Amino acid sequence: MQPYTGNWTQVTEFVMVGFAGVQEARLPFFLLFLTVYLFTLAENLAIILVVGLDHRLRRPMYFFLTHLSCLEILYTSVTVPKMLAGFIGVAGGKSISYAGCLSQLFLFTFLGATECFLLAAMAYDRYVAICMPLRYGSLVSWGTCVRLAAASWLAGFLTPILPLYLMSRLVFCGPNVVDHFFCDAAPLLALSCSDVTLKEKVDFLVSLAVLLASSTVIAVSYGNVVWTLLRVRSAAERRRAFSTCAAHLTAVGLFYGTLFFMYVRTRVASSVSFNKVVSVFYSIVTPMLNPLIYSLRNKEVKGALGRAFSLKSWKRR
């Protein structure tokens, strides 16, 4: 950060470096990320389509899964297309306006926070299903599901408002080169000519609040699930109950592990390149893996996928 004297011109455009170290292999990396992006879109659209078409999957767990798939599509679409444009040198592919940069930051934070709250809602669903099966219909009704999903989206939308407001109050007087592949908070703060102390503290507290609130719900829910399963005598019932939670726990572990590393901190002495790799993992790789995790670990989803895309099924329709 440079001291602001009031004589500099406010930056109106940022240039994103992306992965500057792989310039000689731009085309292979472009094809790799394009393949991952298209695969992510196809997987998540398939989940949405299958749950919508198969009446056997019209249950709360799969209702939340369709919301998660929608989030994954939006989440990757906020950053990947711009990154791909930068790889192949499309005119303006590496540049982004000041307003566009703040908009990207807002959307990315909004969708990431929404996913945290939605994963917590899914954990609550599994807790009620396993620990209180006789009351499941009343505690997790369709009305409750809609309210939980709506609350997740609303809480996610509110999360970046204060951090983004503080970001908009900062002065950017040059340089304007963002050492990242999207407009994340940390590389932007490194470019500001203003005092960013308050902004860093707010970012830390907001990130901590979102992650702790959602992860506490998940931890308490699965703590009760484990306690309940330990009292089940039948090994077959324990395995069946655990199989319904394994996919969700895997998705939670992947998503939260990288988010805690990236955002629940102030200034951490770690390389920019390593931070980019971690960002690629949670913003691009995880949205691709989640549909695979849920479909490969779930016999009902695999069966529905087989029925939805079988030739006989389409002939009957």
Side-chain angles (χ1 to χ4, degrees), residues 37 64 85 228 269 293 306:
Y37 178 57
F64 290 125
T228 299
I293 292 168

Side-chain angles (χ1 to χ4, degrees), residues 14-126:
F14 292 103
V15 177
M16 289 182 286
V17 171
F19 298 92
V22 298
Q23 289 304 304
E24 295 181 359
R26 289 194 306 271
L27 183 58
F29 271 87
F30 169 79
L31 293 175
L32 172 64
F33 284 117
L34 177 62
T35 301
V36 170
Y37 178 57
L38 294 177
F39 192 50
T40 300
L41 294 182
E43 288 177 305
N44 285 288
L45 286 172
I47 294 290
I48 296 170
L49 178 66
V50 164
V51 173
L53 292 176
D54 198 313
H55 68 277
R56 280 165 282 198
L57 297 184
R58 288 172 190 167
R59 304 206 303 273
M61 181 171 69
Y62 301 110
F63 170 79
F64 290 125
L65 185 56
T66 58
H67 279 265
L68 183 63
S69 290
C70 288
L71 273 172
E72 304 291 30
I73 290 172
L74 295 172
Y75 197 54
T76 54
S77 297
V78 168
T79 58
V80 176
K82 188 68 176 176
M83 181 184 68
L84 293 175
F87 269 124
I88 59 175
V90 172
K94 287 184 176 293
S95 62
I96 185 170
S97 67
Y98 174 79
C101 191
L102 292 188
S103 298
Q104 188 183 57
L105 177 60
F106 175 85
L107 290 171
F108 191 78
T109 308
F110 156 44
L111 296 169
T114 301
E115 183 158 345
C116 289
F117 294 123
L118 188 65
L119 288 171
M122 295 172 76
Y124 170 75
D125 170 69
R126 292 299 83 205

Side-chain angles (χ1 to χ4, degrees), residues 298-311:
N298 192 304
K299 292 181 180 179
E300 290 181 316
V301 173
K302 285 191 288 186
L305 283 168
R307 289 189 297 272
F309 294 102
S310 67
L311 184 59

Side-chain angles (χ1 to χ4, degrees), residues 130 229-230 232-247 297 299:
I130 293 172
L229 293 181
L230 289 175
V232 174
R233 294 183 179 181
S234 170
E237 287 185 20
R238 280 199 300 271
R239 283 195 299 271
R240 187 165 56 250
F242 178 75
S243 68
T244 67
C245 302
R297 297 287 308 184
K299 292 181 180 179

Side-chain angles (χ1 to χ4, degrees), residues 8 26 42 51-52 96 117 137 143-144 149 158 166 178 194 237 254 256 267:
W8 289 315
R26 289 194 306 271
V51 173
I96 185 170
F117 294 123
T144 301
L158 295 175
L166 293 176
V178 180
S194 308
E237 287 185 20
L254 288 171
Y256 277 82
R267 291 190 181 275

Side-chain angles (χ1 to χ4, degrees), residues 157-172:
F157 180 81
L158 295 175
T159 296
I161 289 179
L162 178 58
L164 192 74
Y165 170 75
L166 293 176
M167 181 70 80
S168 70
R169 305 298 297 173
L170 299 180
V171 175
F172 295 92

